[in-house]
Amino acid sequence: MDKIKENDIIKVKITGIQKYGAFATLPNDYNGLIHISEISYGYVKNISDFVNVGDDIYAEVMTIDDKEKRIKLSIKDI
């Protein structure tokens, strides 16, 4: 697999949902977070209205932290 870069669109699996965002596994050993502000341009009351645990979705890579193996993701432009 090619190295994931910022602005890439990648397929992820939603593994958890909290009030502040959704967690995802990526096609590498990194963890991803879609912050609630990156779900939609409109007001998001309930993240589960947009994604649910187990969903396979596409997300845009916003930032990559190689040291912590974390990636910030967005779905509001997809």
Side-chain angles (χ1 to χ4, degrees):
M1 181 182 86
D2 293 330
K3 181 167 171 53
I4 294 172
K5 304 175 296 299
E6 289 182 12
N7 301 316
D8 281 355
I9 305 295
I10 60 173
K11 189 173 184 181
V12 301
K13 180 179 278 294
I14 302 299
T15 57
I17 294 178
Q18 295 293 324
K19 291 181 180 181
Y20 55 86
F23 291 93
T25 56
L26 288 81
N28 58 16
D29 58 350
Y30 284 55
N31 293 310
L33 172 65
I34 307 167
H35 189 267
I36 192 168
S37 65
E38 295 297 329
I39 299 282
S40 173
Y41 283 104
Y43 178 72
V44 177
K45 182 176 182 178
N46 186 351
I47 294 171
S48 294
D49 291 339
F50 296 86
V51 296
N52 292 292
V53 173
D55 286 354
D56 287 318
I57 64 167
Y58 287 94
E60 180 180 4
V61 176
M62 303 300 293
T63 61
I64 301 170
D65 181 344
D66 287 318
K67 183 178 178 186
E68 297 293 327
K69 294 192 173 188
R70 294 182 186 157
I71 295 181
K72 292 182 183 177
L73 302 164
S74 175
I75 61 170
K76 65 183 178 182
D77 285 328
I78 305 240

